[in-house]
Amino acid sequence: AVETATQLQLEYGSRLGGFCYALHPLAEGEVAGKSSNENWAARCIAQTMVKTMRINPDNIILTTCDADTYFHPNHFACLSHH
C-alpha cells in the first residue's frame, strides 16, 4: 500500500492542490473494510487540513478511491465548479 500511494503521489501530486494518503491501523475489535478505512482517512484529513493547516472545511473536496480508479479528465474541474 505504501509503495502504491508513494508512486501515485509522485505521479499526480504536482497536478493537484494536495495529495495525501492515510494508512489505517486496525484497532482491536474494529471491523476491517471500506467504511472503517474511509472513516480513518476523513479523521486524518480533519486533523491535517482543518486543525493544523486551518483550512475551512467548506473549501475541501475529499475524494476516496482505489488506486485503479479512472476519473474523467474533467471530473475535478466539475467538482470545483459546482
Side-chain angles (χ1 to χ4, degrees), residues 17-80:
F19 183 104
C20 62
Y21 62 91
L23 300 175
H24 177 205
L26 195 59
E28 185 178 333
E30 187 175 28
V31 176
K34 184 172 177 132
S35 62
S36 61
N37 289 340
E38 289 185 348
N39 181 292
W40 177 260
R43 290 171 187 255
C44 289
I45 290 298
Q47 179 64 40
T48 301
M49 298 183 80
V50 177
K51 293 180 182 171
T52 303
M53 298 171 71
R54 307 191 65 71
I55 297 173
N56 182 334
D58 292 338
N59 296 326
I60 297 172
I61 298 173
L62 174 61
T63 301
T64 61
C65 59
D66 295 326
D68 61 350
T69 299
Y70 173 80
F71 290 104
H72 184 278
N74 293 326
H75 175 78
F76 294 103
C78 182
L79 285 178
S80 62

